[in-house]
């Protein structure tokens, strides 16, 4: 079984500053994928970034980067130059490989508030 | 636009009533999923399907049933609704081993 732990229920950041959202995971599979999703107050799930367990480079997508530390089983999301529109709930999720059939296990989420 | 379509968007049920949440995708994705999200929590898997005619239970299947008669449709059936099923329900799909998931916009269900 897989598990995702997000220890920060809420985070605050000043506009234009960078912020790191923590995510640790637990899996016995060697092949897995890690995801970050954004859920604004409107409720939809917005895909942000993906990191495969065999990817040697940290994933980046625009202002989003994933700080992947495999030995520590952590996959922290870094948002650079925060914008007011970044205020939302953020979820980390894992999809273990093999016979998981793409099932995602989500963490409990972190609410990010960006202050002007 | 291509994607995952969920209907209805909102619904209020009385305890003991039944209903079907509809989910349809037009991307020829073989994998489909139903998740529920309780207030302030992450998503939990209810049921999933890897192709037409093949379904299996997720983490929280009790009180629900699914069917997958076509590649496009994956309805979720609630029998004898209970207040504990008050939640937001998300349908999602993806194609095989590709990592990209497409989520529907969700159905907000309240059982009173």
């Amino acid at each position: 079984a897989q598990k995702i732990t997000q220890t920060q229920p809420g985070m605050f950041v000043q506009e234009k500053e960078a912020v790191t959202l923590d995510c640790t995971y637990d899996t016995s599979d060697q092949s897995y994928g890690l995801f970050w999703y954004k859920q604004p107050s409107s409720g939809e799930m917005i895909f942000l970034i993906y990191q495969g367990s065999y990817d040697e480079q940290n994933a980046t997508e625009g202002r989003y980067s994933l700080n992947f530390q495999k030995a520590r089983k952590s996959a922290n999301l870094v948002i650079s130059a925060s914008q007011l529109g970044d205020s939302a709930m953020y979820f980390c999720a894992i999809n273990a490989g093999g016979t998981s059939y793409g099932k995602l296990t989500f963490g409990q989420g972190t609410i990010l508030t960006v202050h002007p | 636009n291509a994607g995952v379509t969920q209907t209805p968007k909102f619904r209020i049920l009385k305890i003991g009533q039944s209903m079907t949440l509809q989910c349809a995708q037009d991307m020829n994705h073989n994998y489909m999923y139903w998740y529920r999200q309780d207030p302030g929590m992450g998503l939990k898997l209810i049921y999933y399907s890897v192709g037409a005619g093949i379904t299996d239970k997720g983490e929280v299947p009790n009180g629900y049933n699914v069917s997958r008669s076509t590649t496009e449709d994956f309805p979720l059936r609630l029998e004898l609704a209970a207040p504990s099923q008050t939640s937001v329900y998300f349908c999602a799909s993806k194609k095989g081993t590709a990592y990209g998931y497409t989520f529907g916009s969700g159905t907000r269900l309240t059982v009173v």
Side-chain angles (χ1 to χ4, degrees):
Chain A
Q2 284 65 240
K3 185 177 180 181
I4 292 285
T5 302
Q6 295 180 254
T7 57
Q8 306 155 314
M11 288 286 286
F12 296 88
V13 66
Q14 207 71 25
E15 193 178 10
K16 300 180 185 177
E17 298 291 315
V19 62
T20 297
L21 306 184
D22 293 342
C23 172
T24 58
Y25 61 92
D26 189 27
T27 180
S28 55
D29 289 278
Q30 297 300 309
S31 174
Y32 51 88
L34 294 154
F35 300 76
W36 277 92
Y37 283 89
K38 172 184 178 182
Q39 187 177 45
S41 58
S42 52
E44 70 266 34
M45 296 292 288
I46 301 169
F47 167 75
L48 296 179
I49 197 165
Y50 167 83
Q51 178 86 41
S53 58
Y54 293 118
D55 295 340
E56 295 185 352
Q57 303 255 1
N58 284 344
T60 60
E61 291 283 352
R63 294 186 299 111
Y64 304 107
S65 60
L66 199 152
N67 184 359
F68 182 46
Q69 298 188 40
K70 196 170 182 177
R72 300 178 67 177
K73 293 191 173 181
S74 75
N76 298 338
L77 177 70
V78 181
I79 304 175
S80 63
S82 297
Q83 301 172 354
L84 295 179
D86 293 335
S87 292
M89 176 78 94
Y90 288 80
F91 291 103
C92 181
I94 187 170
N95 162 22
T99 58
S100 75
Y101 300 115
K103 295 177 286 183
L104 285 172
T105 298
F106 287 82
Q108 292 194 308
T110 296
I111 299 175
L112 176 66
T113 304
V114 181
H115 290 302
Chain B
N1 289 337
V4 176
T5 302
Q6 289 185 239
T7 55
K9 293 193 183 303
F10 304 93
R11 183 72 186 267
I12 298 175
L13 276 183
K14 293 185 177 179
I15 294 172
Q17 287 185 322
S18 301
M19 76 164 294
T20 299
L21 281 65
Q22 302 291 344
C23 175
Q25 53 90 9
D26 57 1
M27 299 169 286
N28 200 31
H29 284 177
N30 45 346
Y31 290 6
M32 295 188 74
Y33 312 86
W34 274 106
Y35 292 90
R36 61 175 285 174
Q37 183 182 23
D38 297 331
M41 305 291 286
L43 282 66
K44 292 187 177 181
L45 183 66
I46 306 171
Y47 270 95
Y48 68 101
S49 168
V50 300
I54 306 170
T55 63
D56 205 351
K57 297 177 181 179
E59 183 184 355
V60 289
N62 291 346
Y64 307 94
N65 276 300
V66 293
S67 59
R68 183 97 182 268
S69 56
T70 67
T71 299
E72 293 78 20
D73 299 300
F74 191 39
L76 178 71
R77 177 83 177 161
L78 279 73
E79 305 281 2
L80 299 174
S84 61
Q85 293 178 303
T86 293
S87 192
V88 178
Y89 292 83
F90 287 98
C91 180
S93 72
K94 81 181 193 85
K95 190 166 186 68
T97 57
Y99 71 80
Y101 296 81
T102 302
F103 278 86
S105 57
T107 294
R108 186 175 296 274
L109 175 68
T110 302
V111 181
V112 297

